[in-house]
Structure formats: C-alpha cells, structure tokens
Amino acid sequence: MAGVSLKPSQGDADVQVTYEDQQKINTFANKNAKLVELKEEIEAKQKDLQNLEDASDDLLMVDDESAPIPYRIGEVFISMSMEATQEKLEEAKTQVQQQISDLNAQADEIKALLGELKVQLYAKFSNNINLEMDEE
C-alpha cells in the first residue's frame, strides 16, 4: 500500500504513513474533538448544578413558608409549595450529578483511548507528529 511520506525534521529516514496509520490519526482527531465537546458539556452541567444549589440556598431564606414558590418546568413557571419545590430541586440536582458522572466516565474512556493512540503514533513517528492540544 502506498503511503504519504512525512518529511522528518531531524534527518531521520522517511517515515511512510500507511492506511492504518491514517485511520489512527483520524480516530485520534475525532476522539480529541469529542473530548473537547464533553468537557464543555461538563462545564455547562456544573453551572446548572451550581444554579440548583443556589436556588436551594435561596429557598432557605424565604420568610413565609406557606407562600407559593415559582418553579420552572421547561418554559413555564408553576407555583408549588416549599416542600414540593425543595423535593424537585433535590431530584434535579441528583439528575444533573448523575449526568456529570456519566460524562466524566465517557471522558475518561476517551482519554484512555487517546493515550493508547498517542503511544502508538509517537512510537512510529516520534517528533514528526504533534498530538498535543494547543492551549489558547
């Protein structure tokens, strides 16, 4: 199979890029992009969780416990009792924490795969390939 020749930067022999190597490079790029998306999603979920915790804290400061509390469901606010609102907030926090846990597990799987691919690709291409993320 004919491969694309990489130009070595330090006078080493030409390194041929095979189809399998290209597949590994493409997999690395795709999984790396997915990891970035997961990190952004985790950050958004953590903000949601913080907002829910802030709402729970604010409920503790309510003077009149018999007053209806507006609770948002979708795009609609529903008036609920203090207890019902606290229960809903706890359910929502538990759900968001589970989602964060699931996203972290997915990110860990991808990090493991990226680590394996890095080892394989650096073993073959050494300094002729850059697999590190650019820090902005």
Side-chain angles (χ1 to χ4, degrees), residues 40-58:
E40 291 171 358
E41 196 172 341
I42 289 169
E43 287 178 21
K45 294 289 182 189
Q46 287 174 333
K47 279 185 180 179
D48 291 346
L49 182 61
Q50 184 60 46
N51 289 340
L52 290 169
E53 289 173 355
D54 291 345
S56 291
D57 293 344
D58 288 346

Side-chain angles (χ1 to χ4, degrees), residues 7-123:
K7 297 294 180 193
S9 58
Q10 298 164 331
D12 297 332
D14 283 344
V15 178
Q16 297 296 317
V17 179
T18 64
Y19 177 76
E20 290 80 18
D21 296 332
Q22 189 62 48
Q23 292 301 101
K24 288 178 184 177
I25 293 168
N26 290 342
T27 300
F28 184 90
N30 291 335
K31 294 296 183 183
N32 198 38
K34 178 68 175 170
L35 182 61
V36 169
E37 289 175 17
L38 283 174
K39 286 181 180 180
E40 291 171 358
E41 196 172 341
I42 289 169
E43 287 178 21
K45 294 289 182 189
Q46 287 174 333
K47 279 185 180 179
D48 291 346
L49 182 61
Q50 184 60 46
N51 289 340
L52 290 169
E53 289 173 355
D54 291 345
S56 291
D57 293 344
D58 288 346
L59 274 182
L60 297 175
M61 292 186 249
V62 172
D63 292 330
D64 185 11
E65 292 189 19
S66 64
I69 307 293
Y71 185 82
R72 190 178 89 179
I73 299 177
E75 295 181 12
V76 178
F77 284 92
I78 297 176
S79 293
M80 301 173 76
S81 69
M82 174 75 83
E83 282 184 27
T85 304
Q86 287 174 332
E87 289 174 15
K88 285 286 192 186
L89 284 173
E90 289 304 316
E91 289 174 16
K93 284 196 287 189
T94 302
Q95 188 177 28
V96 171
Q97 288 169 338
Q98 182 61 46
Q99 291 170 349
I100 290 171
S101 176
D102 293 345
L103 291 171
N104 280 325
Q106 289 178 22
D108 290 343
E109 289 175 17
I110 290 174
K111 286 177 187 176
L113 177 61
L114 290 177
E116 292 173 16
L117 288 171
K118 270 186 183 183
V119 168
Q120 294 170 8
L121 292 169
Y122 277 133

